[in-house]
Amino acid sequence: MTTPTYDVFDPATLELVGSAPEHTEADVVRAIASATGAARAWGADRAARNENLKEAAELIRNRATELGTLLSREQGKPLREAMAEFLVAADLFDYYATLDWDETETLPERAGRRLLVQHRPVGLVGTITPWNFPISLLAVKLAPALAAGCTVIAKPSPSTPLSTMALIGLLNEVLPQHVAQVRASSRRTVNVALSSLPGVRKISFTGSTDVGISVATQALQGVKRVTLELGGNDPAIVLSDADIRTTARGIVASAFRNAGQVCMAVKRVYVPQALASELTEAISAEAAAHVLGHGIEKSTTMGPMHNAAQLDTVRSMITQATGAGARIAHGNDRGTELPGHFLAPTVLADARDGMALVDEEQFGNALPIVSYSDEHALIEMLNGQEFGLGASLWTPDEDRAHTLASTLEVGTVWVNQHTVVELDAPFGGWKASGVGRERGRYGLEEYLETRTINARTHA
């Protein structure tokens, strides 16, 4: 029986890129059965797992251009950024293949009792990933899960399945059969199946808060473990002694990366009133240097928004903000003659709290600049809001920055930078921005179950 398919389109040219299978719940059931059959042998041989991950990393690096081209075409981002996703994936596979961790720990004896603490794979993992970073956001789940000894079924976003299918296909050149599989769908059929069917022991999800809550609710019915990396509305907090040019350059590099479609990007800028005009001008000048176009063209530094719905959402927020008193300082045009979902990087001055563009995660190519007068009152206000993924502080005074950073209720505080993540440092959010952590040993622990063996001599 032939599996139905659906089409995937280039968001820059609107041309057909390829087709993906329209998998059903029955397809997920079959994947669960085959993954379960592969689990015991995979989980039993850590040395073999590590070698497989190293081999996979080398394959990815050797084919980064080919893989990146496919990702660029289906997602829209520039080719070098698409290739970088696969290189990040390779680094993650290498990192977890060489990470030193104890499968068994021994606790001190007490009253004739000997205690062992064992760390074992949680079991079959279902990953659900979004369209903005289809590969790096999958790899940050896939690499530690595989290293821990888990088998994985990956569910990509409906609009970027091809690069995920290519990655899993490449992994299957070195992994044992059925250890890593992919199930695609243009609907939520696979999401629901992974979240609700028995046999899947853990769900690792990255996406919107609303969808994450739905996935977690379904998973809870089967008492599945969950990791949720959810939405963010990261502020850049510019302090009164900040260098304007340095700050503008760093903010633009974060805010407009991937056409603003980054969960941890700068989404809004808070600046002292006295610096607002100068910083707005500097940010606008940096944003103006971007060249919009087709991602696979060498001259392109910025691709399109990924889909029409996201573009419409951001445009609507811009219209609402300007109607309420914000001013377009730069952008708000298409920036190219291509027919896709383009919006030039758009800077809005005189924005204020209460505007949807400021209060909500716009997830697109628009950046509001808001003036403030009291940094402590600002931080108190930000801590009272629902999101807590990240924030950045911009100042040459490191002591001041660290003091303020320790008061921010977010998963990551950057100082004089933003959107930088490390292989060995935990990443995740507070409050509505998520549950659990990814990267480093912290990410590995999300895929391990702990068992205590408490023994005394039989006498």
Side-chain angles (χ1 to χ4, degrees):
M1 181 177 176
T2 303
T3 302
T5 62
Y6 68 94
D7 292 334
V8 178
F9 296 93
D10 186 324
T13 64
L14 307 185
E15 296 172 340
L16 179 69
V17 179
S19 61
E22 188 72 79
H23 285 131
T24 66
E25 181 178 299
D27 293 312
V28 178
V29 169
R30 285 189 285 272
I32 291 171
S34 58
T36 301
R40 184 176 295 275
W42 177 247
D45 193 339
R46 180 173 169 181
R49 294 199 304 270
N50 291 342
E51 285 305 310
N52 285 162
L53 293 180
K54 292 175 187 177
E55 291 170 8
E58 190 63 24
L59 278 178
I60 292 169
R61 292 189 181 100
N62 289 341
R63 302 183 195 175
T65 301
E66 167 196 343
L67 294 166
T69 299
L70 178 61
L71 173 55
S72 177
R73 292 185 64 212
E74 72 170 351
Q75 200 281 334
K77 65 183 60 184
L79 176 58
R80 63 181 170 278
E81 295 180 19
M83 290 174 61
E85 281 205 52
F86 282 98
L87 296 177
V88 165
D91 288 345
L92 283 161
F93 284 118
D94 270 339
Y95 173 82
Y96 282 105
T98 57
L99 181 65
D100 184 21
W101 58 280
D102 294 324
E103 292 179 282
T104 302
E105 301 174 63
T106 303
L107 300 184
E109 288 191 24
R110 74 282 320 266
R113 299 190 304 278
R114 297 175 303 283
L115 287 93
L116 298 179
V117 178
Q118 298 179 331
H119 303 288
R120 295 294 182 261
V122 69
L124 175 57
V125 175
T127 67
I128 302 173
T129 46
W131 46 257
N132 59 329
F133 286 88
I135 298 305
S136 57
L137 291 178
L138 171 60
V140 82
K141 307 173 189 306
L142 190 59
L146 294 174
C150 301
T151 52
V152 180
I153 300 172
K155 164 57 174 65
S157 166
S159 56
T160 55
L162 304 180
S163 51
T164 295
M165 291 164 56
L167 175 62
I168 298 298
L170 180 149
L171 293 180
N172 283 328
E173 294 180 26
V174 297
L175 298 183
Q177 192 174 21
H178 306 311
V179 166
Q181 302 177 71
V182 59
R183 291 294 180 267
S185 174
S186 65
R187 300 180 285 271
R188 291 189 177 178
T189 306
V190 175
N191 291 24
V192 172
L194 290 174
S195 301
S196 58
L197 288 173
V200 178
R201 297 287 182 84
K202 176 180 173 67
I203 296 293
S204 186
F205 171 89
T206 298
S208 72
T209 298
D210 289 346
V211 177
I213 290 171
S214 176
V215 167
T217 300
Q218 293 160 4
L220 184 61
Q221 306 308 306
V223 200
K224 303 180 194 297
R225 288 178 54 181
V226 296
T227 297
L228 304 175
E229 203 266 278
L230 306 177
N233 194 14
D234 286 16
I237 303 169
V238 181
L239 301 184
S240 57
D241 55 359
D243 178 82
I244 294 298
R245 184 174 180 183
T246 298
T247 301
R249 186 183 305 116
I251 286 174
V252 167
S254 170
F256 297 116
R257 182 184 176 195
N258 197 28
Q261 300 164 128
V262 184
C263 63
M264 58 180 167
V266 172
K267 302 291 200 315
R268 46 191 171 151
V269 178
Y270 288 93
V271 58
Q273 178 65 50
L275 300 180
S277 178
E278 187 180 2
L279 182 64
T280 298
E281 184 177 333
I283 286 176
S284 297
E286 291 286 339
H290 273 295
V291 177
L292 276 74
H294 198 196
I296 60 175
E297 295 295 332
K298 290 184 179 180
S299 61
T300 297
T301 65
M302 179 177 290
M305 301 279 289
H306 181 63
N307 56 62
Q310 195 63 36
L311 176 60
D312 289 345
T313 295
V314 175
R315 284 198 175 280
S316 176
M317 287 183 169
I318 292 171
T319 299
Q320 187 271 340
T322 55
R327 172 177 58 85
I328 301 294
H330 177 76
N332 203 30
D333 53 36
R334 288 178 48 77
T336 178
E337 296 300 317
L338 290 172
H341 313 303
F342 284 93
L343 174 66
T346 301
V347 181
L348 290 94
D350 304 325
R352 64 176 186 272
D353 296 303
M355 294 176 175
L357 189 66
V358 177
D359 292 353
E360 301 174 18
E361 183 185 24
Q362 73 271 27
F363 212 69
N365 234 1
L367 180 66
I369 300 178
V370 184
S371 298
Y372 74 90
S373 57
D374 183 332
E375 64 196 42
H376 297 290
L378 171 62
I379 289 174
E380 184 177 354
M381 182 270 290
L382 293 171
N383 284 345
Q385 296 180 343
E386 65 171 331
F387 290 117
L389 190 57
S392 57
L393 295 159
W394 300 80
T395 173
D397 188 337
E398 292 189 16
D399 290 339
R400 183 183 180 194
H402 282 278
T403 297
L404 292 175
S406 298
T407 68
L408 283 161
E409 296 179 357
V410 297
T412 301
V413 181
W414 290 278
V415 178
N416 299 319
Q417 57 182 343
H418 205 113
T419 327
V420 178
V421 291
E422 312 291 348
L423 286 172
D424 58 347
F427 180 79
W430 288 23
K431 301 177 288 189
S433 288
V435 176
R437 291 295 180 266
E438 296 184 321
R439 296 179 174 270
R441 170 61 193 263
Y442 316 88
L444 179 74
E445 289 171 355
E446 299 286 329
Y447 300 95
L448 295 171
E449 285 283 17
T450 301
R451 175 171 56 221
T452 299
I453 298 178
N454 190 331
R456 70 162 61 245
T457 302
H458 182 66

